[in-house]
Amino acid sequence: MKVNLNHLAKQIIGWMTLFIIGIDLFIVSPMLPKIAGDYHVNSATTGWMVAFFSAAYVLSAPLMGLWADRHSRRNLIFTGLLGFSIANLLTAFSINFLMLLFSRFVAGLTAAAVTPSIYAMIEEVAPQNKKGSWLAIVGSGLLMALWFGVPLGTILSEHYGWASIFMLLAACSVCLSWLNRITWPAGPITKQSKTKLINRPGIGRSLYAVIPTMIWGASVYGFYTYLGTGLQMIGYHPFRIALTISCYGIGAVIGSLTGGRLSDSFGSKKISLSSLGLLAVILAIIGWGIDVPLLLQFLLILFALSGYAFFPAFQHFLLQKYPQYQSTFMAWNNSALYIGITCGSAAGGYILKNFGFTNLPFVMAGLAFAGALFAGIQHYGSVAEKKSTSV
């Protein structure tokens, strides 16, 4: 089988870029106690580091995406990664906690300049029949960062100190900035007319388009965030908990990669809609089988497989539907993901505390079902719109 080295290089650079940005966010959690001790604040206060990063990302990503669509995605990726490197150096050398929070805010701003444009660039340069697959492969970098972030942060901070990790991330970001600059084509790839620039999608239309991602993020992470805690509450042994969560991880990798391939073969609309519906069904079954370890492990593989098939498929759907504003809608979609994860985690914590872990999958199943209904309305609405305009 002949390998196209140019194609492989683009996928590797995109994957590495998303992995580093994901590591920067997810690695903070295990280091919070050490950071709290160094700055003489409590652990709850250091949690604002994550909140500042996420808030900056959510608020700035749509503007960054619009700028990238109008001008140059490559330049924005290059500049964003350089800024991301500076932000990490500021984190490493912050002289007080206020400066530390500012550095995380800057990190969120610069990450928002990079991630959506990487997705849009992949959509542009990938072969026509492999766009979903490429999105899934590159997007798995962010997914891998979620799993590696916590153990990596724990190990490295224990041996080298937490500040050294951010220095390493800064060095990696500088290297990746130049690699991205020589990898991607210059300038806005899609030429836009002045009419299309004037009639750019508004906030309401953009938010409406990405609501399924918001619901998906809330339903998946509202359950997954408390999986380990919940299993401990119902009497699972630590080894069994680790094994069970590993089953989830295996399913997520397979699901993400499979979702991209399936969207290439059967269409992004069908795969994103069916994966949300299947996610709802499996979550409901998990609620009934949560006390049976072997059954739960099998169900978690199916849960992650169906759940993570949604994200690359829905990205592919948005990129196809809004070809003139690909970076813009990738930015809105990523912001929706952060909002969904935040809201889902908050809701999951409330349900866990007041109604118990065994009720959590049922609530998240209802949420996923609502997301599937909403995605269906979007799908058939767009079909009806096309039919009416063609008459």
Side-chain angles (χ1 to χ4, degrees), residues 79-298:
T79 306
L81 283 168
L82 288 180
F84 194 65
S85 177
I86 293 171
N88 278 290
L89 287 176
L90 285 175
T91 299
F93 295 105
S94 293
I95 58 176
N96 54 50
F97 188 67
L98 186 62
M99 183 177 175
L100 186 69
L101 290 180
F102 172 76
S103 73
R104 301 320 295 158
F105 189 84
V106 175
L109 287 176
T110 50
V114 177
T115 308
S117 289
I118 288 287
Y119 285 125
M121 192 70 85
I122 287 294
E123 171 73 14
E124 290 283 4
V125 302
Q128 188 62 37
N129 63 337
K130 295 183 178 180
K131 293 184 182 296
S133 300
W134 278 42
L135 282 168
I137 291 169
V138 171
S140 68
L142 201 63
L143 191 61
M144 294 298 286
L146 172 61
W147 304 326
F148 282 126
V150 172
L152 190 64
T154 303
I155 294 169
L156 293 180
S157 63
E158 190 68 33
H159 289 85
Y160 304 105
W162 65 266
S164 63
I165 299 172
F166 289 101
M167 287 186 262
L168 178 61
L169 289 171
C172 291
S173 299
V174 170
C175 295
L176 283 169
S177 68
W178 288 102
L179 287 172
N180 276 277
R181 189 170 181 82
I182 64 176
T183 297
W184 310 118
I189 299 173
T190 305
K191 302 297 181 183
Q192 302 182 67
S193 66
K194 290 183 179 180
T195 303
K196 287 176 180 175
L197 284 174
I198 293 171
N199 297 325
R200 65 179 183 270
I203 294 176
R205 179 184 173 190
S206 302
L207 280 173
Y208 176 81
V210 299
I211 284 176
T213 293
M214 198 180 302
I215 297 175
W216 173 80
S219 60
V220 169
Y221 288 94
F223 175 67
Y224 172 70
T225 301
Y226 302 100
L227 180 58
T229 302
L231 293 178
Q232 187 176 16
M233 289 171 63
I234 61 177
Y236 272 59
H237 186 274
F239 175 77
R240 179 73 71 175
I241 293 174
L243 182 61
T244 302
I245 294 176
S246 296
C247 290
Y248 171 90
I250 292 169
V253 172
I254 298 172
S256 179
L257 297 176
T258 303
R261 289 184 177 274
L262 289 176
S263 67
D264 286 332
S265 301
F266 300 102
S268 54
K269 290 180 182 179
K270 291 180 180 178
I271 299 305
S272 57
L273 178 59
S274 59
S275 64
L276 262 178
L278 188 58
L279 177 68
V281 172
I282 293 172
L283 273 168
I285 297 174
I286 285 175
W288 294 107
I290 208 161
D291 293 325
V292 185
L294 288 177
L295 177 61
L296 179 61
Q297 289 162 11
F298 174 71

Side-chain angles (χ1 to χ4, degrees), residues 54-100:
S54 299
Y57 190 106
V58 168
L59 294 174
S60 64
L63 295 175
M64 296 288 190
L66 185 60
W67 191 96
D69 284 330
R70 288 182 171 187
H71 302 287
S72 170
R73 291 169 188 157
R74 187 186 73 171
N75 288 346
L76 188 62
I77 293 169
F78 174 72
T79 306
L81 283 168
L82 288 180
F84 194 65
S85 177
I86 293 171
N88 278 290
L89 287 176
L90 285 175
T91 299
F93 295 105
S94 293
I95 58 176
N96 54 50
F97 188 67
L98 186 62
M99 183 177 175
L100 186 69

Side-chain angles (χ1 to χ4, degrees), residues 23-33 35 46 50 149-150 153-154:
I23 284 290
D24 188 88
L25 174 62
F26 299 125
I27 207 170
V28 169
S29 177
M31 298 188 295
L32 291 181
I35 295 174
T46 55
V50 178
V150 172
T154 303

